[in-house]
Amino acid sequence: MAQFKPLVFSGVQPTGNLHLGNYLGAIVKFVEMQKTHDCIYCVVDMHAITVPQDPAQLKSSIREVTAAFIAAGIDPKAHIVFNQSQVAEHAELAWVFNCVARMGWLNRMTQFKEKAGKDRENVSVGLFAYPALMAADILVYRATHVPVGEDQKQHLELSRDIAQKFNNDFAESIALCGHGDAFFPLPEPLIQGPATRVMSLRDGTKKMSKSDPSDYSRLNLTDTADIIAQKVRKAKTDPEALPSETAGLAGRAEADNLVGIYAALDNRSKDDVLREFGGGNFSTFKNALVDLAVARLGPVGAEMKRLVGDPAYIDSVLLDGGRRAREIAAPNMKAVKEILGFIG
Ligand code: TRP
């Protein structure tokens, strides 16, 4: 297959509070990728409206995610940070992909099944077509690498299937239009690290989530040091001491989760953390986890709050990013239209 220039793309939905799961599962990796790749990070506001949103709340959530990106260390000058709806090519390519993807493929998406639940007849068409828009987000830039949490793996596979089917279905036209044997790369998911799945602090078998009714289930990026300490101290554990090796975490979901969080926050492996804390009780470990979480999240939360207080700056970052994103998306979309046989 043709060679594609390495390019990173990822997106975060502007819905509700950002928590440790978003931070460790996605944003920390976004920051890391900047060192080695050109990166495009998108606040996916068009994905947000697949379920009902309050316009005023949506606007502040878009600014909050942007603030979190910057506070965590994403450089919006060296890379691109913008909100999705500014670049119409996302929606334009999504329509094309709606016509490439098969009903059967989308019917298999577990996130849709979970979100729609028993109310399948009443959810938006957009919620069903969501993965085709996600594929368009990535492929409108012909991005090659996508840092995401474990829960997005299936959507990434669908993006690859869509890219592959487009390349196959239009192979002749792609070649005639001068793009060789493939127009779209098959984007690779980047899912690594000890905390690709951060679980609830109240139930180690459930994902940490903004929609959990208990705020004690999650650490929000804007929680104060006191709140972080309270939540960690109240986090569910079991009566055993911590094991000395990762194997000993099997069947102990809460212990596994807390050790994973510690490892991710301290940039170490779980084994390494257990070498230090194995055999000890949870209260000692939790004290260390409080200190670490406050040290790592405190400055990010404080900077986020400062940035959210300056919406004019945030909006200028998004506008500049939108303009630069469009410069990449527009010629790619033009080429797609040519390949399809559209005129103009
Ligand atoms: N679906 C992703 C989520 O809910 C967000 C997203 C939208 C995304 N478009 C994307 C992630 C493109 C990576 C690439 O977390």
Side-chain angles (χ1 to χ4, degrees):
M1 196 161 105
Q3 284 295 304
F4 292 92
K5 191 176 143 286
L7 177 64
V8 167
F9 181 95
S10 197
V12 171
Q13 288 205 50
T15 47
N17 282 343
L18 284 173
H19 54 69
L20 189 68
N22 306 116
Y23 183 67
L24 293 178
I27 300 175
V28 166
K29 266 182 278 172
F30 296 2
V31 174
E32 187 68 27
M33 293 308 293
Q34 297 182 107
K35 295 184 197 148
T36 49
H37 289 75
D38 287 330
C39 303
I40 304 176
Y41 295 127
C42 186
V43 185
V44 290
D45 47 10
M46 286 160 55
H47 277 89
I49 63 162
T50 54
V51 296
Q53 299 295 337
D54 170 65
Q57 182 60 51
L58 180 61
K59 187 175 279 182
S60 62
S61 294
I62 294 168
R63 290 183 178 137
E64 193 178 293
V65 173
T66 310
F69 282 175
I70 300 169
I74 290 171
D75 177 351
K77 286 212 153 63
H79 301 273
I80 294 178
V81 172
F82 75 109
N83 58 311
Q84 185 185 26
S85 59
Q86 281 197 76
V87 181
E89 284 80 1
H90 288 242
E92 209 174 352
L93 186 59
W95 180 258
V96 175
F97 286 173
N98 281 341
C99 302
V100 173
R102 306 290 92 186
M103 289 293 287
W105 299 359
L106 290 169
N107 267 325
R108 282 196 287 277
M109 296 294 115
T110 52
Q111 185 171 300
F112 174 74
K113 287 187 218 166
E114 277 166 22
K115 285 199 176 175
K118 290 196 190 67
D119 205 21
R120 262 189 125 145
E121 293 295 308
N122 245 328
V123 294
S124 71
V125 174
L127 191 69
F128 184 72
Y130 179 119
L133 176 59
M134 180 163 160
D137 297 338
I138 301 163
L139 293 169
V140 81
Y141 302 99
R142 300 210 276 176
T144 54
H145 295 84
V146 185
V148 278
E150 175 75 31
D151 63 328
Q152 295 300 311
K153 205 171 159 193
Q154 195 185 34
H155 287 160
L156 247 295
E157 275 157 19
L158 188 92
S159 297
R160 295 168 65 89
D161 289 345
I162 290 176
Q164 179 78 263
K165 182 162 163 59
F166 182 95
N167 288 340
N168 290 345
D169 288 357
F170 299 101
E172 201 179 320
S173 186
I174 287 168
L176 278 173
C177 292
H179 304 288
D181 62 358
F183 184 72
F184 289 120
L186 306 185
E188 272 180 49
L190 302 172
I191 304 171
Q192 335 109 322
T196 50
R197 251 171 97 75
V198 178
M199 311 308 279
S200 159
L201 300 179
R202 309 297 295 163
D203 176 352
T205 64
K206 281 202 315 207
K207 244 180 67 176
M208 185 175 284
S209 157
K210 60 174 191 294
S211 49
D212 192 311
S214 169
D215 202 47
Y216 277 90
S217 69
R218 60 187 160 257
L219 294 180
N220 300 308
L221 287 187
T222 47
D223 282 345
T224 60
D226 282 351
I227 301 274
I228 292 176
Q230 275 179 40
K231 287 178 173 176
V232 171
R233 296 218 167 89
K234 282 209 164 118
K236 189 174 168 202
T237 51
D238 58 43
E240 310 288 315
L242 278 163
S244 304
E245 287 166 9
T246 359
L249 292 170
R252 299 177 64 187
E254 284 80 18
D256 189 15
N257 188 39
L258 293 179
V259 171
I261 290 172
Y262 193 106
L265 283 173
D266 211 21
N267 220 350
R268 300 155 66 174
S269 68
K270 289 202 253 187
D271 271 312
D272 197 37
V273 172
L274 290 175
R275 262 193 291 279
E276 185 179 341
F277 293 98
N281 58 28
F282 272 105
S283 65
T284 312
F285 176 67
K286 278 182 168 182
N287 284 335
L289 181 55
V290 168
D291 290 345
L292 176 62
V294 168
R296 287 294 309 270
L297 301 182
V300 178
E303 179 65 358
M304 254 178 92
K305 283 178 200 155
R306 190 187 72 77
L307 289 165
V308 165
D310 189 356
Y313 167 71
I314 298 283
D315 295 3
S316 74
V317 165
L318 292 173
L319 243 64
D320 177 61
R323 185 184 50 74
R324 287 156 57 217
R326 217 172 298 125
E327 276 171 18
I328 307 171
N332 286 341
M333 191 62 219
K334 190 169 190 295
V336 168
K337 288 163 111 177
E338 226 165 55
I339 290 165
L340 291 168
F342 290 172
I343 292 172

